[in-house]
Amino acid sequence: MNHGKTRIILLFLALPLALYGALVVSPYAQAFSIALTSWSGFTADKPFVGLDNFQRLFQDPEFWQALGHNGLLLLVVPLVTIALGLFFAAMLNVGGSDGKVAGVRGSALYRRVYFLPHILPVVITAILWQFIYNPQIGLLNGGLDAIGLGGLAHTWLGDPAVALWSLIAVMVWAGVGFYVVLFSAAMQSIPKDIFEAADLDGAGRFQTLTRITLPLLRESVQVAWVYLGIHALDAFALFMVLTPTGGPDNSTMVLSQYLYLSAFGNGKFGYATAIGVMLSLLSLLLTALTFRGSRDKNTIEF
Amino acid sequence: MKTSTHPTQADASLSSPRRQERDRVPKPATPPTPPLLKRVGAPAATGATHALLVFWALLSTVPLLWALISAFKDNRELFGNPWQLPSTWHADNFTRAWSRASIGDYFVNTLIVVLGSLVLTMILGSMVAYVLARFTFPGCRLIYYAFVAGMAFPVVLALVPLFFVVKNLGLLGSYHGMILVYTAYALPFTVFFLTSFFRTLPTAVAEAALIDGASQEAIFFRVMLPMAKPGLLSVGIFNFLGMWNQYLLPVALNTDRDKYVLSQGLANLASQQGYEADWSALFAGLVIAAVPVIGLYLALQRRIQAGLTVGMLK
């Protein structure tokens, strides 16, 4: 079985490892040292400044503002997306009203339609919503006008009070369908007899949902939370297209965008990379916290 | 014995009518009678929940339909009532978008970069995954974890150093530079997914081929790759969508205007739009850029939904 083993290992690993090492591992590794310099990009030397960048970050109101926005995203986007995803998945899989454990009629079609926004490339989503939010030609203000709620019309992306919430709405809009599908898969893997037993014991639909379906889904909800959390920390394309400069009064500035603008806008490469290090620490922390939380409790096997 | 059973029996006979009534409730549970079933299956999906389902379905589709319809309006109509259909359907918006607004060039660029990266990613990724799954050798765990760790960090962290790595290699704003970068960043998930996939494949056929004198490389290309087709397809779709979607990498590294990919070109067009600009062409451009993805989805929706969620459940 070992005939030609060494050769195939060397042959098959050499090129991919060289590529991966040069374009992924090395940039990540370099990032941690560049973060300790005051490098402005186009000079040969990278003046070492130790932890100065981090010290400056902690005193930088724009950094805190961006961090706060990421914090809000981290809280609101997963919460709303998961709640809607769970609700729709429950309706589509066990919400049927004919006494059997089944979804409502047309659930396959709903699943397909809900997934559409998620499949759309994020830049297209962003430009599309730029038009929807547009105060002159936009679908949203036009729609509000049409149903007599013209008073609610806004310059959605130009008003610091609503700009970030408008972006959150787009993130939720694009995300829900994916979690409907994800939770549907998890719900369908729960054995039917558990639901039937609950039925026979006289549990109503709501009780079945809160006492049986949701507890059995805890692990997928947790995975969804991490995934959405990382997504919320990472949100870049949507923000760069919808509010390229960080929104009115920096009201939509997030860390990834602040990093990009600091580096490629202001040539503060060392400082920008320090932001990236903070961002990575936050995502690693988030993942670690969530999975630690899951290990402490017993998981239900079926 | 006698004394102890006697009172209970008496008790039972005394309260027998009540007892029977209490017993009747759980008993029919074994052969469920229609009235009980009706009680249990009380309508959960009420009018309100149906309305919510329909509402979200409209919310998911109306913006897309609106974009599609707007792509056929002329600029004047775009500034009219957004809910109105175009009086004449302007298909010329699409030809104008394709040639004058360079969407055609962006489309071709995207196709070159995405297809190039996809082929390279699948070849290199399956080679690494196969070696990691089938052989043990010094450092194999280290290599595996190096790839897995690549999924843990946000790409934006690597952006600044990556820009200079690519610049120093002289690859800024070139097709092959983009292809190499896309491939490198698609490798972690591809290797992670395919390694566990190759582990599930039976080895008996490969061993038989080896005894028959086939080389290890021949076994990989002739035996293992064909067997791995379902896994390759899933990860291939995942990578295609991710690469077509890519924005961060090109916006930093693809500095040559003539080589812009769709997402980059569209974002650039959108940001330059003023009042006198050609908005209908931009809508047409959006539709053109979305067609490959939506088309793929409609053709393979089951597989795509499974493929995109598979990486998350275990």
Side-chain angles (χ1 to χ4, degrees):
Chain A
M1 194 58 212
N2 280 343
H3 183 259
K5 181 184 141 181
T6 315
R7 196 186 59 194
I8 194 178
I9 291 173
L10 291 177
L11 201 67
F12 276 21
L13 287 184
L15 199 57
L17 279 185
L19 188 70
Y20 187 66
L23 294 178
V24 181
V25 178
S26 134
Y28 278 134
Q30 283 180 50
F32 288 94
S33 65
I34 292 178
L36 303 175
T37 69
S38 64
W39 193 32
S40 60
F42 298 94
T43 51
D45 60 312
K46 303 174 178 134
F48 181 82
V49 293
L51 295 173
D52 270 14
N53 284 330
F54 293 93
Q55 210 164 21
R56 268 173 56 212
L57 266 185
F58 288 125
Q59 289 155 6
D60 177 354
E62 265 189 276
F63 169 74
W64 286 108
Q65 210 177 358
L67 187 66
H69 294 152
N70 275 118
L72 186 72
L73 292 183
L74 203 56
L75 208 67
V76 176
V77 173
L79 205 66
V80 179
T81 310
I82 288 176
L84 285 172
L86 278 174
F87 172 75
F88 289 131
M91 281 302 114
L92 294 183
N93 291 288
V94 292
S97 53
D98 57 354
K100 279 188 303 174
V101 181
V104 298
R105 277 208 300 175
S107 53
L109 182 66
Y110 281 121
R111 251 200 299 275
R112 212 169 297 181
V113 166
Y114 289 2
F115 204 76
L116 263 179
H118 187 263
I119 210 76
L120 216 58
V122 62
V123 168
I124 297 184
T125 304
I127 298 175
L128 181 56
W129 279 87
Q130 195 178 35
F131 283 122
I132 292 174
Y133 284 142
N134 185 297
Q136 276 98 37
I137 70 164
L139 194 61
L140 186 55
N141 281 355
L144 288 173
D145 256 344
I147 55 172
L149 291 172
L152 288 177
H154 273 282
T155 48
W156 298 99
L157 298 169
D159 180 347
V162 292
L164 188 59
W165 293 100
S166 305
L167 286 163
I168 288 177
V170 181
M171 291 178 86
V172 172
W173 177 80
V176 167
F178 179 81
Y179 294 93
V180 171
V181 171
L182 184 76
F183 294 142
S184 290
M187 279 180 196
Q188 271 158 11
S189 72
I190 300 174
K192 284 251 193 304
D193 30 329
I194 296 184
F195 290 113
E196 279 156 13
D199 252 9
L200 293 177
D201 287 345
R205 288 294 174 195
F206 184 71
Q207 265 185 311
T208 312
L209 181 67
T210 53
R211 300 279 184 79
I212 295 176
T213 315
L214 292 187
L216 287 178
L217 243 58
R218 225 199 44 221
E219 248 180 288
S220 5
V221 172
Q222 219 147 25
V223 174
W225 189 280
V226 175
Y227 198 76
L228 274 163
I230 290 174
H231 185 61
L233 280 176
D234 230 9
F236 179 76
L238 195 68
F239 284 70
M240 275 309 280
V241 174
L242 280 175
T243 49
T245 56
D249 298 334
N250 283 338
S251 57
T252 65
M253 184 73 88
V254 287
L255 288 176
S256 55
Q257 195 177 10
Y258 191 40
L259 185 163
Y260 182 85
L261 294 175
S262 302
F264 296 97
N266 300 331
K268 294 192 283 186
F269 286 95
Y271 194 61
T273 312
I275 301 172
V277 170
M278 294 301 293
L279 192 63
S280 312
L281 290 181
L282 286 174
S283 9
L284 291 178
L285 191 71
L286 175 80
T287 317
L289 275 181
T290 322
F291 282 113
R292 222 194 116 108
S294 77
R295 212 177 306 141
D296 290 346
K297 293 170 204 144
N298 296 319
T299 48
I300 304 155
E301 302 277 339
F302 51 82
Chain B
M1 265 297 255
K2 233 183 181 180
T3 38
S4 63
T5 46
H6 186 72
T8 24
Q9 267 174 355
D11 195 50
S13 56
L14 264 174
S15 60
S16 77
R18 254 201 201 163
R19 251 246 155 120
Q20 270 174 359
E21 223 177 56
R22 251 193 290 153
D23 280 346
R24 200 182 290 150
V25 183
K27 238 179 203 164
T30 352
T33 52
L36 179 78
L37 202 68
K38 214 168 223 171
R39 182 185 66 79
V40 166
T46 58
T49 56
H50 272 298
L52 280 172
L53 287 173
V54 171
F55 172 72
W56 196 267
L58 289 176
L59 209 59
S60 305
T61 46
V62 166
L64 305 183
L65 287 175
W66 176 68
L68 182 64
I69 290 168
S70 299
F72 287 98
K73 291 181 175 180
D74 63 28
N75 255 4
R76 194 181 37 80
E77 274 178 323
L78 270 179
F79 282 88
N81 182 354
W83 293 87
Q84 208 143 42
L85 288 178
S87 50
T88 43
W89 294 71
H90 289 274
D92 55 297
N93 290 341
F94 286 88
T95 49
R96 221 168 50 251
W98 185 266
S99 48
R100 278 247 307 274
S102 308
I103 300 293
D105 296 338
Y106 302 153
F107 195 95
V108 173
N109 291 342
T110 311
L111 221 51
I112 292 171
V113 173
V114 169
L115 293 185
S117 317
L118 194 59
V119 169
L120 195 60
T121 303
M122 297 312 292
I123 293 174
L124 297 185
S126 54
M127 278 167 29
V128 173
Y130 177 70
V131 167
L132 290 177
R134 295 295 305 280
F135 304 106
T136 44
F137 53 93
C140 67
R141 287 184 78 79
L142 182 76
I143 292 174
Y144 178 74
Y145 285 118
F147 278 109
V148 173
M151 294 191 290
F153 294 96
V155 177
V156 75
L157 171 67
L159 204 58
V160 170
L162 180 65
F163 175 83
F164 290 97
V165 168
V166 173
K167 184 169 178 276
N168 292 337
L169 291 171
L171 295 174
L172 272 187
S174 70
Y175 289 135
H176 46 289
M178 295 310 295
I179 290 173
L180 291 178
V181 172
Y182 275 33
T183 303
Y185 282 85
L187 276 180
F189 180 77
T190 309
V191 168
F192 171 72
F193 180 88
L194 287 179
T195 300
S196 54
F197 193 82
F198 274 121
R199 284 206 182 109
T200 65
L201 294 180
T203 57
V205 188
E207 274 155 22
L210 198 69
I211 290 164
D212 286 349
S215 70
Q216 293 280 8
E217 293 81 28
I219 292 171
F220 173 71
F221 286 109
R222 300 260 197 81
V223 181
M224 298 310 281
L225 272 193
M227 277 206 288
K229 234 184 232 160
L232 293 177
L233 197 59
S234 290
V235 85
I237 292 172
F238 177 91
N239 282 332
F240 174 83
L241 294 172
M243 288 166 176
W244 197 272
N245 200 352
Q246 189 53 257
Y247 176 70
L248 176 68
L249 292 174
V251 91
L253 306 173
N254 194 9
T255 46
D256 181 354
R257 275 189 97 82
D258 291 337
K259 300 218 169 66
Y260 272 10
V261 292
L262 273 170
S263 52
Q264 201 179 1
L266 281 170
N268 194 48
L269 271 181
S271 69
Q272 289 170 351
Q273 295 292 312
Y275 271 99
E276 60 296 324
D278 193 351
W279 293 58
S280 9
L282 183 55
F283 270 107
L286 285 186
V287 173
I288 293 173
V291 159
V293 179
I294 303 269
L296 190 72
Y297 174 63
L298 293 179
L300 296 172
Q301 58 90 19
R302 214 162 238 297
R303 215 180 170 83
I304 286 178
Q305 292 189 344
L308 288 190
T309 47
V310 80
M312 290 184 58
L313 295 169
K314 321 220 152 142

